[in-house]
């Protein structure tokens, strides 16, 4: 592009090599695909593991809900024995077991099962959100590393410009201040590269935290530009009726319906079966049954006569059902809104990328002419530097727009996902 001239500031070049070497380690090694990182995050993320354990704990509630009540065993000892026809009664054992209305255990199990399904759908949604966060961080890191390469190219351009200005200075076509001005820009570029290196490590740390890996573990992206430009468009931009956020609320609706049935059963009597065992002391009473212990089966029935309590229970379940229905409709509206906003943003980003492409093509022609003009000393170095800064700005904005487009596409993927994924 430019003629090559000896460079008089080897110290700056050495700094660039050291900084660039750190980026090259990430660019040249075998990269890690986004899908690999998502899989690693799904397997290791602590928040996701926490939610799955909540789901497993809720599953255990199904067996608990279907379990019988513990029987009640009581023992009584008569300090003053009660005299009976067959002898004094000195102690009594009682064993009772309460039985709910028919089908109550099944309904309780259904309630626990539906709540477990709701926890599982919450886990599914959290997993999809984790995929989205990993993808957003991955494309942000790709954009940063692509910008780092652009900034390195800008530094090389400044070196070439400096060589041209030094040549003009030797031929009395430029001033010393022009050389100093280019060197000032080169120092700025070195600082920018150092800042990008620090930002790179910060993004890698955040990405590793999501995957529960060592925070210093490298994240390798061999070709950041190609990664940004490989956009896979969504085949559908409509709301999935089986999105985990919707399926979770539907599971709560099913649980509420079962709770309504349970409220009706709780308004019915409960039965109790029992057995009384009385110990009779033999005191040589002249009776054939003298000293024989007494056994008495028992049957008890609860009397749900307080109707206000039962009505309040049914009303509370009904109101909760209405609230869940409103929640479902609101969630559908939110998802549709988020999809539309993502689509609008996607269209806006495409328009920006078209603009940046046109501007960069124009600048390419202008810069070729300005290079010739600078070599002929018919153009000031300030104007050339300004043009290259403008080109750098468009390239960086293009890189960020590509990253935002990828992140928007991933957002649409999350919003249109279904519970089976």
């Amino acid at each position: 592009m430019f003629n090559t001239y000896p460079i008089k500031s080897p110290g700056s070049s050495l700094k660039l090599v050291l900084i660039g070497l750190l980026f090259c380690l990430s660019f040249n090694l075998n990269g890690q695909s986004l899908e690999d990182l998502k899989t690693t995050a799904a397997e290791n993320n602590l928040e996701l593991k926490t939610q799955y354990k909540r789901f497993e704990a809720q599953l255990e509630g199904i067996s608990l809900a279907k379990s019988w009540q513990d029987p009640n065993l009581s023992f009584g000892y008569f300090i003053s024995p009660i005299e009976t026809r067959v002898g004094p009664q000195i102690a009594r054992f009682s064993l009772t077991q309460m039985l709910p209305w028919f089908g109550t255990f099944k309904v309780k199990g259904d309630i626990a099962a539906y709540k477990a399904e709701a926890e599982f759908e919450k886990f599914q949604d959290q997993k999809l959100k984790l995929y989205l966060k990993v993808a957003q961080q991955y494309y942000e890191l790709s954009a940063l590393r692509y910008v780092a390469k652009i900034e390195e190219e800008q530094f090389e351009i400044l070196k070439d410009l400096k060589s041209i200005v030094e040549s003009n200075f030797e031929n009395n076509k430029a001033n010393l201040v022009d050389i100093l001005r280019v060197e000032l820009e080169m120092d700025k570029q070195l600082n920018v590269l150092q800042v990008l290196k620090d930002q790179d490590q910060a993004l890698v740390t955040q990405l590793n935290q999501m995957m529960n890996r060592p925070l210093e573990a490298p994240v390798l992206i061999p070709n950041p530009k190609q990664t940004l430009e490989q956009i896979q468009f969504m085949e559908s931009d409509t709301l999935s009726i089986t999105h985990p956020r919707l399926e979770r609320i539907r599971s709560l609706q099913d649980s509420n319906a079962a709770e309504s049935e349970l409220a009706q059963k709780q308004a019915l009597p409960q039965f109790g079966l029992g057995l009384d065992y009385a110990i009779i002391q033999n005191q040589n009473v002249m009776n054939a049954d003298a000293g024989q212990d007494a056994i008495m089966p028992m049957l008890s029935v609860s009397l749900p006569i307080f109707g206000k309590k039962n009505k309040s229970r049914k009303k509370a379940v009904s109101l909760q059902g209405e609230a869940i229905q409103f929640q479902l409709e609101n969630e559908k509206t939110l998802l549709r809104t988020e999809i539309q906003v993502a689509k609008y943003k996607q269209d806006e980003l495409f328009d920006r990328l078209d603009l940046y492409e046109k501007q960069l093509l124009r600048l390419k022609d202008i810069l070729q002419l300005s290079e010739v003009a600078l070599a002929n000393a018919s153009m000031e170095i300030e104007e050339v530097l300004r043009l290259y800064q403008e080109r750098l700005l468009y390239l960086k904005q293009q890189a960020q727009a590509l990253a935002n487009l990828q992140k928007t596409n991933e957002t649409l993927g999350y919003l249109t996902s279904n519970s089976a994924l």
Side-chain angles (χ1 to χ4, degrees):
M1 180 176 174
F2 295 106
N3 295 327
T4 303
Y5 295 90
I7 300 174
K8 296 184 179 180
S9 53
S12 297
S13 298
L14 181 59
K15 292 179 182 178
L16 178 62
V17 169
L18 293 175
I19 295 173
L21 181 60
L22 295 172
F23 288 107
C24 290
L25 290 174
S26 299
F27 297 152
N28 297 329
L29 297 175
N30 292 329
Q32 297 165 291
S33 70
L34 176 57
E35 293 304 317
D36 290 340
L37 296 180
K38 286 181 178 180
T39 301
T40 302
E43 293 173 350
N44 301 329
N45 184 265
L46 295 179
E47 290 184 7
L48 197 60
K49 287 183 177 181
T50 299
Q51 179 56 37
Y52 191 78
K53 291 301 178 182
R54 290 196 182 105
F55 159 65
E56 290 184 322
Q58 194 67 49
L59 278 179
E60 294 299 322
I62 299 176
S63 299
L64 181 62
K66 291 183 176 181
S67 300
W68 289 67
Q69 295 182 16
D70 293 330
N72 185 31
L73 176 65
S74 60
F75 169 74
Y77 180 79
F78 296 96
I79 298 177
S80 297
I82 299 176
E83 294 293 340
T84 67
R85 182 176 59 84
V86 294
Q89 181 179 346
I90 62 174
R92 173 183 291 180
F93 291 90
S94 295
L95 179 65
T96 57
Q97 173 68 59
M98 295 303 296
L99 305 174
W101 191 262
F102 305 105
T104 301
F105 284 156
K106 179 181 180 303
V107 174
K108 287 185 176 181
D110 290 343
I111 293 173
Y114 290 133
K115 289 184 177 179
E117 287 180 9
E119 286 296 325
F120 181 74
E121 295 299 339
K122 186 176 180 181
F123 163 77
Q124 290 287 78
D125 181 58
Q126 194 163 328
K127 181 175 68 174
L128 292 174
K129 285 181 177 178
L130 177 63
Y131 287 165
L132 176 60
K133 290 179 181 177
V134 170
Q136 290 175 335
Q137 202 76 0
Y138 181 81
Y139 288 120
E140 193 67 29
L141 183 61
S142 298
L144 185 139
R145 291 182 176 177
Y146 177 37
V147 168
K149 293 189 70 174
I150 295 172
E151 296 285 1
E152 289 178 9
E153 292 172 358
Q154 179 76 358
F155 186 87
E156 294 300 321
I157 290 172
L158 290 174
K159 287 168 59 178
D160 291 339
L161 290 175
K162 181 183 176 184
S163 299
I164 295 176
V165 173
E166 287 176 339
S167 176
N168 289 340
F169 176 73
E170 293 174 357
N171 296 322
N172 294 322
K173 295 180 180 180
N175 298 321
L176 180 60
V177 68
D178 296 331
I179 299 175
L180 297 177
R181 186 172 286 110
V182 178
E183 289 178 345
L184 180 63
E185 292 297 323
M186 292 173 67
D187 290 338
K188 289 181 181 179
Q189 283 301 118
L190 287 174
N191 183 69
V192 168
L193 288 170
Q194 180 61 47
V195 171
L196 289 174
K197 171 180 171 294
D198 296 337
Q199 292 177 349
D200 184 285
Q201 187 56 51
L203 291 177
V204 168
T205 298
Q206 293 172 355
L207 194 54
N208 283 326
Q209 184 272 328
M210 294 180 193
M211 296 183 289
N212 193 27
R213 301 195 308 181
L215 299 182
E216 297 80 13
V219 177
L220 309 178
I221 306 175
N223 194 330
K225 182 180 180 181
Q226 184 179 1
T227 299
L228 294 175
E229 292 177 344
Q230 289 180 341
I231 301 175
Q232 298 178 355
F233 296 98
M234 294 297 303
E235 296 180 359
S236 173
D237 58 358
T238 58
L239 173 63
S240 171
I241 61 174
T242 59
H243 193 282
R245 282 161 60 176
L246 301 180
E247 288 295 283
R248 174 177 174 272
I249 300 175
R250 292 193 184 100
S251 295
L252 293 177
Q253 280 185 320
D254 293 336
S255 176
N256 178 260
E259 286 178 356
S260 178
E261 184 179 353
L262 178 63
Q264 295 177 5
K265 292 184 178 298
Q266 287 176 333
L268 299 173
Q270 294 189 50
F271 301 96
L273 297 177
L275 187 69
D276 262 18
Y277 182 84
I279 300 176
I280 307 298
Q281 187 177 16
N282 187 354
Q283 290 188 342
N284 297 320
V285 178
M286 300 301 293
N287 191 304
D289 296 328
Q292 184 175 350
D293 296 340
I295 299 176
M296 182 176 64
M298 293 188 303
L299 173 66
S300 61
V301 180
S302 67
L303 301 176
I305 60 176
F306 299 107
K308 186 176 181 180
K309 175 182 66 176
N310 296 327
K311 289 180 181 179
S312 296
R313 184 185 294 120
K314 294 177 182 178
K315 183 66 174 179
V317 173
S318 176
L319 292 173
Q320 185 65 27
E322 294 177 13
I324 295 174
Q325 180 61 36
F326 289 142
Q327 183 183 1
L328 178 61
E329 296 302 320
N330 181 63
E331 198 66 38
K332 287 180 181 178
T333 302
L334 285 176
L335 283 169
R336 291 193 184 100
T337 302
E338 290 173 17
I339 289 173
Q340 289 301 318
V341 170
K343 288 295 296 180
Y344 295 148
K345 186 175 182 180
Q346 193 178 60
D347 294 339
E348 178 189 355
L349 288 169
F350 276 122
D351 292 339
R352 287 188 183 181
L353 287 171
D354 288 340
L355 173 63
Y356 297 149
E357 188 66 26
K358 292 176 182 178
Q359 296 296 82
L360 286 170
L361 286 174
R362 291 192 181 98
L363 275 172
K364 181 179 179 181
D365 296 334
I366 295 173
L367 287 170
Q368 287 178 347
L369 295 174
S370 65
E371 173 191 347
V372 176
L374 180 65
N376 295 328
S378 59
M379 190 173 188
E380 296 295 331
I381 185 62
E382 294 93 335
E383 182 62 19
V384 178
L385 291 175
R386 187 191 66 78
L387 289 172
Y388 273 107
Q389 283 295 332
E390 186 175 355
R391 172 184 173 274
L392 176 63
L393 177 62
Y394 280 127
L395 287 173
K396 291 166 64 176
Q397 289 176 337
Q398 184 186 54
Q400 190 59 56
L402 285 170
N404 290 338
L405 187 58
Q406 289 280 21
K407 290 190 288 185
T408 302
N409 194 56
E410 290 286 337
T411 300
L412 281 171
Y414 159 72
L415 294 173
T416 57
S417 296
N418 59 68
S419 181
L421 295 179

